[in-house]
Amino acid sequence: MKFYSTRNTTFTVDMEEALLRSMPLDKGLYMPVRLPELGPDFFNRISDGSLAEIAYAISLELFGSEIPADRLKSLVDQAFPFDTPVVFLEDGKTAVLELFHGPSQAFKDVGARYMAAMMGYFLERSDREIHILVATSGDTGGAVAMGFLGVKGVKVTILYPSGRVSELQEKQLTTLGQNITALEVDGSFDDCQAMVKAAFADEDLNAAYNLASANSINIFRLIPQGFYYVRAFGQVKDCGKPVVFSTPSGNFGNLSAGVLVHRMGLPVQQFVAATNRNHVVPSYLSTGDFSPHPSISTISNAMDVGNPSNFVRLTHLFDEDYDRLTEQVTGYWFDDEATRNAMRQVYQQYGYVMCPHTAVGYLGLQSYQQQNPDTCGITLATAHPAKFKELVESVIEHPVDVPEALAVLMNREKQSIRIPANFEALKEYLMPATV
Ligand SMILES: *Cc1c(COP(=O)(O)O)cnc(C)c1O
């Protein structure tokens, strides 16, 4: 499979280059030159499998000429030892796709672990060393830290906004050690993201290191996120109604991944883009005007993104045709009060606990289904509620069970390096002698 840059569609690279370099030097984003048309029959057939089986079937179509089939099989088995089950609430019709059964209890495990497995495959055959820089608004850090922990030839530096991630999220990315370092930035997630972007464009750093990204600007984090849309489809397809996905969105990697498998033939009627008050994309969908802004802090902090990095991919998936995009994707946004109310209502009515991000997705689906009742709606549950324990407990006024994997983190000691929110500080950390 070949990839082009969204800034220069005639510039193409192979799989290994897109995977290991993450981003073209022209600062565009890599996109597949041609998506295979696999068709609804293919997806109907494979969607009965486990997440790992679905991942294998699609990976073979996409990368079968670059990686031998038996290796692909073992790579996806290594990446996906967990499932992404659909759970129906007591009303019998609200389906929740639980994406938090991986090691960091958020959907980002899926992308991070697939990418780590693929990188491991290409690096084991060379003595190349990769330095991964990643900005996190909360959940990416933990998923990447755990996914890449101990991977040979990879060093990981995570940038996160000080005081703006939950305690458990912080523990996940600051307590592992080994090849993982956490930089605590005095600024916002947008600052962290801008610092990482500046590092990729910096000649000195690129000359000194093989820099790579584990953010969703790397297409190999995004592609695997399509697999669980297929897994979810398999679990609801007997309902006999058109399927609608509601994706709580920040950088729009997750939603783009759904559209990507849809373009290959997964039968989906509609995608709902649900955001918090950072509603650049819902506003664009209703007005045609794309106006990025500094991010606003909300209780769904992993979606506090004022300039979504995957927006351009979303437009490319519809060949930059605004009418086609708005036909297939509907946007809604909700403030913190509405989010809290939804968390409380779902808990009181169904005894089901949602994290604030999931609640935003739930609200988006409710809004869509009010207009389109004869549909089978699936809300993506992007994180385990225990990752936001204090907040969730204060909203539902009930204790939240903490899974063992999270509970053990509480006793570990945080280790981070605090830096100011500018690129020079990052560069000085990475190359102390030159600045
Ligand atoms: C990252 C994240 C999101 C946003 O996903 P994008 O792919 O950036 O749109 C939503 N919810 C949770 C819990 C997340 O960690």
Side-chain angles (χ1 to χ4, degrees):
M1 173 172 264
K2 290 236 180 275
F3 297 86
Y4 70 88
S5 164
T6 52
R7 290 257 171 103
N8 175 3
T9 54
T10 59
F11 177 77
T12 63
V13 298
D14 64 12
M15 172 189 186
E16 184 171 351
E17 177 74 12
L19 171 68
L20 297 183
R21 286 237 180 263
S22 306
M23 218 176 150
L25 284 171
D26 65 13
K27 298 194 201 172
L29 293 173
Y30 285 126
M31 284 292 280
V33 169
R34 200 185 55 81
L35 285 173
E37 284 169 33
L38 303 173
D41 290 347
F42 172 86
F43 285 106
N44 260 313
R45 180 162 48 78
I46 70 161
S47 62
D48 292 327
S50 67
L51 182 65
E53 285 164 349
I54 289 167
Y56 175 62
I58 299 175
S59 299
L60 197 58
E61 298 290 339
L62 299 179
F63 310 122
S65 51
E66 282 96 346
I67 302 179
D70 59 329
R71 286 311 315 276
L72 263 182
K73 179 84 179 71
S74 61
L75 292 173
V76 299
D77 285 346
Q78 166 200 334
F80 304 128
F82 53 89
D83 192 19
T84 52
V86 168
V87 168
F88 285 90
L89 302 191
E90 265 165 33
D91 62 0
K93 61 182 183 17
T94 307
V96 181
L97 172 59
E98 293 189 342
L99 301 174
F100 49 72
H101 297 283
S104 81
Q105 271 88 19
F107 79 88
K108 293 193 174 79
D109 281 326
V110 173
R113 294 179 66 80
Y114 187 82
M115 191 179 141
M118 291 292 183
M119 280 192 173
Y121 170 78
F122 283 106
L123 290 175
E124 82 192 4
R125 305 175 311 161
S126 72
D127 44 16
R128 197 164 165 183
E129 286 230 329
I130 295 278
H131 196 135
I132 289 182
L133 286 182
V134 61
T136 182
S137 58
D139 287 323
T140 301
V144 167
M146 292 181 197
F148 283 92
L149 183 68
V151 174
K152 179 188 158 277
V154 179
K155 194 168 180 295
V156 180
T157 301
I158 300 169
L159 285 76
Y160 73 98
S162 181
R164 301 208 198 181
V165 302
S166 82
E167 197 182 348
L168 276 166
Q169 286 176 325
E170 187 172 37
K171 292 276 184 182
Q172 284 188 332
L173 54 102
T174 57
T175 60
L176 289 171
Q178 294 187 48
N179 56 335
I180 316 292
T181 306
L183 299 182
E184 183 174 356
V185 176
D186 281 314
S188 67
F189 169 66
D190 287 346
D191 293 328
C192 297
Q193 190 155 265
M195 289 160 74
V196 168
K197 274 198 172 173
F200 282 111
D202 186 83
E203 281 181 20
D204 299 337
L205 287 175
N206 279 288
Y209 303 109
N210 291 313
L211 294 180
S213 166
N215 278 107
S216 50
I217 57 173
N218 192 310
I219 186 78
F220 282 87
R221 224 193 78 185
L222 199 132
I223 288 170
Q225 290 176 193
F227 305 156
Y228 48 68
Y229 285 87
V230 182
R231 175 81 180 106
F233 175 79
Q235 293 170 86
V236 303
K237 65 187 176 191
D238 291 340
C239 75
K241 292 177 188 164
V243 173
V244 176
F245 285 101
S246 177
T247 308
S249 296
N251 263 322
F252 281 80
N254 205 359
L255 185 83
S256 298
V259 174
L260 196 98
V261 278
H262 173 58
R263 288 293 313 273
M264 290 192 277
L266 181 71
V268 178
Q269 164 159 306
Q270 194 71 6
F271 290 95
V272 174
T275 74
N276 58 30
R277 283 180 60 218
N278 296 278
H279 52 75
V280 190
V281 173
S283 297
Y284 170 76
L285 291 171
S286 56
T287 66
D289 184 28
F290 186 72
S291 310
H293 56 70
S295 62
I296 303 163
S297 289
T298 74
I299 58 169
S300 44
N301 65 12
M303 313 196 310
D304 293 350
V305 182
N307 189 4
S309 57
N310 281 297
F311 171 72
V312 65
R313 281 202 170 113
L314 196 58
T315 65
H316 274 244
L317 283 166
F318 293 100
D319 303 323
E320 299 177 271
D321 181 333
Y322 181 74
D323 292 338
R324 278 180 60 201
L325 170 61
T326 52
E327 225 166 77
Q328 195 71 61
V329 184
T330 310
Y332 299 100
W333 66 273
F334 305 92
D335 63 16
D336 283 352
E337 194 190 340
T339 308
R340 283 197 183 89
N341 288 339
M343 290 164 71
R344 208 174 288 126
Q345 179 237 320
V346 169
Y347 178 68
Q348 286 169 357
Q349 237 173 316
Y350 309 117
Y352 189 82
V353 185
M354 285 179 171
C355 88
H357 313 83
T358 305
V360 169
Y362 173 79
L363 284 167
L365 191 59
Q366 298 276 305
S367 301
Y368 180 80
Q369 288 191 308
Q370 262 157 28
Q371 311 293 314
N372 306 272
D374 218 15
T375 50
C376 174
I378 304 172
T379 299
L380 275 63
T382 47
H384 193 291
K387 289 193 92 171
F388 311 91
K389 186 172 158 53
E390 294 77 22
L391 173 87
V392 175
E393 289 181 342
S394 77
V395 173
I396 66 169
E397 295 174 352
H398 196 272
V400 172
D401 292 337
V402 179
E404 184 60 27
L406 288 178
V408 296
L409 289 174
M410 291 318 288
N411 305 321
R412 300 225 185 112
E413 188 136 355
K414 158 181 158 183
Q415 287 185 319
S416 67
I417 297 167
R418 201 151 175 159
I419 64 167
N422 59 65
F423 170 62
E424 288 67 35
L426 174 62
K427 188 167 176 178
E428 187 176 326
Y429 164 75
L430 293 169
M431 298 183 76
T434 56
V435 184

